[in-house]
Amino acid sequence: AAGVIQSPRHLIKEKRETATLKCYPIPRHDTVYWYQQGPGQDPQFLISFYEKMQSDKGSIPDRFSAQQFSDYHSELNMSSLELGDSALYFCASRAQGKNTEAFFGQGTRLTVV
Amino acid sequence: TQLLEQSPQFLSIQEGENLTVYCNSSSVFSSLQWYRQEPGEGPVLLVTVVTGGEVKKLKRLTFQFGDARKDSSLHITAAQPGDTGLYLCAGENYGGSQGNLIFGKGTKLSVKP
C-alpha cells in the first residue's frame, strides 16, 4: 500500500540558506500535517492543511512557510536557516473524518551547519 | 494550550516484566491515540480511544481512556525486547470535522533480554 512519501530523506544546509521539504500524502488523504522533532524531543506541530487551505498553525517560525498544492502534496519552505532548525521533519496525512489514523512519512533529517 | 504529560520519561526493564505508561492532561480530549516510534522513523499508530472509560487490548498491550477523557494509560504485559521504542500519546480536540494531534513528550522504553 502507498505510504506518505517525504523528500529528501536527508538534507544538509549552511546557516542562512533556504530549504524546501516535500510531502506526498497517501492517495485520497486531504489533510497534511507538518511536525518538527528535535533530538530526544516529542514531535512539535508546525502547520496543517485541509483541502489545500491552511487549517491550523502551531509553533512554526515566521521564517518558515508552507502550502498544499492542487494534487494535495505539500511543501515546507524554510529560509534563513539557523543551527536550531536541525531536526527531523515529519509529514503526516489523514483522511477526512473524526478519529482517523494519521500516517507519518519517514521524515526528512535536516542538518544545518 | 493543551498539554499532555507522559510518565515515566524513561523506563528500562527486563524481558518478562510488566509496565504501565501514563498520559495525563488538564484538558479534555475528544480522542487519544497511542503511537510507537522507532529511531529515525515516523510514529506508527497503535490504537485510538474515544469513549471515556474505554479499554482496548492489542495482544499484550492494554490501553485505557480515563472516564473524564483527560488521561490514558498503556499497560504492557510480559514485555519483550521487540517492545523497545518511544511510546507517544497524542490527543485530539476538534471543533469542526478534524483537529490537530498534540503529542506528549513520550516514554522511552528499553526492554533488556
Side-chain angles (χ1 to χ4, degrees):
Chain A
V4 177
I5 307 295
Q6 288 188 248
S7 68
R9 289 294 310 277
H10 302 273
L11 191 57
I12 300 175
K13 290 284 186 177
E14 294 189 356
K15 281 195 306 184
R16 292 180 288 278
E17 284 194 317
T18 61
T20 298
L21 310 185
K22 296 185 179 183
C23 169
Y24 296 87
I26 290 172
R28 290 180 295 282
H29 281 196
D30 48 22
T31 302
V32 166
Y33 301 87
W34 284 97
Y35 289 87
Q36 177 193 59
Q37 188 173 28
Q41 309 270 324
D42 56 305
Q44 291 291 312
F45 169 67
L46 293 178
I47 194 167
S48 62
F49 293 88
Y50 168 63
E51 278 294 338
K52 293 156 277 185
M53 300 285 289
Q54 181 183 307
S55 57
D56 205 352
K57 203 170 180 180
S59 53
I60 183 169
D62 292 339
R63 299 177 289 109
F64 295 4
S65 65
Q67 56 181 324
Q68 187 178 32
F69 294 85
S70 57
D71 63 351
Y72 294 100
H73 94 272
S74 179
E75 294 184 4
L76 177 66
N77 299 294
M78 310 159 74
S79 62
S80 302
L81 286 169
E82 301 173 357
L83 295 178
D85 295 329
S86 296
L88 202 49
Y89 289 83
F90 286 108
C91 164
S93 75
R94 295 174 83 179
Q96 172 67 301
K98 295 179 180 178
N99 306 323
T100 54
E101 178 178 354
F103 291 85
F104 284 79
Q106 291 190 296
T108 293
R109 182 170 295 283
L110 172 67
T111 304
V112 182
V113 298
Chain B
T1 303
Q2 294 176 310
L3 288 174
L4 279 168
E5 302 286 338
Q6 280 190 246
S7 62
Q9 197 174 350
F10 301 96
L11 192 54
S12 181
I13 60 172
Q14 292 295 129
E15 183 176 2
E17 291 184 5
N18 301 333
L19 66 114
T20 303
V21 175
Y22 299 93
C23 177
N24 297 294
S25 175
S26 57
S27 302
V28 175
F29 287 96
S30 303
S31 66
L32 255 169
Q33 297 182 335
W34 283 92
Y35 288 80
R36 180 166 169 268
Q37 185 180 19
E38 304 214 23
E41 302 289 327
V44 176
L45 181 71
L46 295 173
V47 80
T48 301
V49 284
V50 179
T51 308
E54 182 177 5
V55 176
K56 279 192 176 177
K57 289 184 187 288
L58 190 67
K59 296 183 181 177
R60 293 176 295 101
L61 278 59
T62 302
F63 303 86
Q64 184 159 9
F65 202 11
D67 291 339
R69 304 210 312 275
K70 292 183 179 181
D71 55 87
S72 180
S73 64
L74 157 61
H75 182 78
I76 302 180
T77 305
Q80 298 176 2
D83 296 327
T84 295
L86 179 68
Y87 288 82
L88 296 157
C89 68
E92 178 174 30
N93 202 356
Y94 38 72
S97 61
Q98 199 165 62
N100 292 314
L101 288 175
I102 308 299
F103 282 87
K105 291 193 181 302
T107 293
K108 200 163 189 176
L109 172 65
S110 173
V111 182
K112 295 178 174 26

